[in-house]
Amino acid sequence: MPIIEVKDVVGGYGGAPILNGVNIAIEQSDIGVIVGPNGAGKSTTLKAIFGLLKITGGSVVFDGEEITNALPDRLVPRGLSFVPQEKNVFTTMSVEENLEMGAFIRRDDISGTLEEIYTMFPVLKEKRRQPAGELSGGQRQMVAMGRALMSKPKLLMLDEPSAGLSPRYVLEIFEHIVTVNKAGVGILMVEQNARQALAFASRGFVLAQGKNRFTGTGPELIADPEVAKSFLGG
Amino acid sequence: MDELVFFINRGVISGLITGCVYALGGVGITLIFGTMRFAHFAHGDMMTMGAFISFLIAGALSAMGVVLPIPLAFAIMPISMALTAVAALGIERSFYAPLRDRGAKPVTMLIASIGVTLMIQGLIRLIFGSGTRDFFGGTEVKEIFRIPTTMFGGTRPIVLTEPQVLMFIATAIAVIGVHLFLSRSRLGKAMRAMADNADLAQVSGINTKMVITVTWLLGGALASMAGTMLSLDVNLRPDLAFNIILPIVAAAVVGGLGSAYGAIVGGLLIGFTEALAVFNWTAVLRPLQPYLPFDLPANLAVVPTEYKITVAFVILVVTLLVRPTGIFKGAST
């Protein structure tokens, strides 16, 4: 059974719909990557799943339960986490406080999860008392991912985790994403670095004008001459 | 030495008192702005409301013949704080929350809070009349401490009233309490998170409705405390704190909107500056008269007392020019 199933979703910010029938289905073991040109509705899809904009048609089923238009305070406890593209850390709060906020919905002891995050990102342990706003772009992205992982999600959604990072950090972040996935967390992410991201994607979705254009495994999509020509720059 | 005593009495103590009131009011304004992004104009009147609630309870106890070693209003302040907190939440639920749920803009919220201002003041006038009242009109006496300075060669004592001393202690406790709440507790951290980035707080699954509720309870309790102490120090009028809402807002902005520490620092800064601006420096400079080429005027103050309110604005304008996000780099958007 897929961990998430997005069926013919239509939605937008109130005006003309941006999503005109998006379909996505991935397993918890998958890394799903959504690619496509600017304005295709990639980020909008993630926001729609997370209840940040109105879905007017279709449905979203997460972990066997319908969650269409459910709000984050219901989704996070159910095991869905989201890392927005921008402004994704609490800049005035320390690294550790950022992580604690990710665990706000938990009432049990979080010290174990905190240690896991520090093991994954040792640099964060070093800087745990420092305000997150003082960190570099790559380190902030680690804080953002760490925060989202603190709620022990089944599925982690990332909106362009590599945006604005230097090539060295892009690779590092992708490696971390694979590690998280191996630990049993499903990944659904949007990426501009399409070719690089599809290379490790077990499910790839090419979106254009708010609709699916191609769906397949990452390597399949890269190998498809039409996808390569239209969406991956030849 | 007497000049120094005069300076302490008229400058330092006066500045500290004003600063304490501004700080407690400012923390409420800044937290409300931080979590809900609107300037709560009615906060001053919440302070006045708290003062009248204290007055009512203290008056009732006094009529029953209760006498305590400290002013009754101080003893019952926790009750008044709790009641004002509930009233603040009631105002939020009946007026602000419905507007916010319909997507009201910050300016609409500001105007709504001006409406609440008029409503609270009207209600107070309706119930208590528009006259001035004093906590110490009846059986209670305002105790005055005179600390002799003879051992330092002074002839005049440092004068402190009992409410002033209690006010310093209470403010210190409140500030430490707010600090511990914001830095240690889960809800306090969530409040800071919401002030920092409300969207991300929502995405993290933080129960933003609960944070807003707690913000009003805390803001209301601190407002009652500030109002009660202010009215103990001077007297009680329906426009008690309405007259100082502008310096209180200035304190929150100067400190950095959304930052509780900023509001405390901003409040004390504005309080002290006001006191020093209206302070008569002649009294301190008089020993130097023989060395000065001109005669000291009878009153040498930076601004006349009646223009005291301008001091807050000068500080506000300078802060906005030099450091627009405030001392503690608050969320000014």
Side-chain angles (χ1 to χ4, degrees), chain A residues 15-64:
Chain A
I18 299 167
L19 308 177
N20 297 305
V22 174
N23 285 284
I24 285 167
I26 64 169
E27 306 284 328
Q28 194 167 348
S29 57
D30 277 329
I31 296 184
V33 174
I34 306 174
V35 299
N38 281 333
K42 308 184 295 285
S43 299
T44 313
T45 302
L46 295 192
K47 286 179 189 160
I49 295 171
F50 212 61
L52 300 176
L53 63 89
K54 190 99 182 125
I55 295 176
T56 49
S59 68
V60 183
V61 174
F62 174 71
D63 201 16

Side-chain angles (χ1 to χ4, degrees), chain A residues 50 72 76 90 101-105 147, chain B residues 199-206:
Chain A
F50 212 61
V76 178
F90 298 108
M101 287 301 102
F104 183 86
I105 53 129
R147 195 220 83 232
Chain B
D199 291 336
L200 189 60
Q202 196 202 357
V203 163
S204 303
I206 289 174

Side-chain angles (χ1 to χ4, degrees), chain A residues 161-210:
Chain A
S162 75
L165 298 186
S166 66
R168 188 173 72 87
Y169 269 126
V170 173
L171 208 65
E172 200 182 323
I173 285 291
F174 284 173
E175 278 167 11
H176 284 308
I177 291 171
V178 173
T179 314
V180 169
N181 179 246
K182 287 210 176 104
V185 181
I187 303 280
L188 180 60
M189 61 192 256
V190 164
E191 254 306 321
Q192 282 295 359
N193 286 322
R195 197 176 282 273
Q196 225 175 334
L198 284 175
F200 64 83
S202 52
R203 300 292 296 160
F205 306 89
V206 180
L207 252 55
Q209 286 160 346

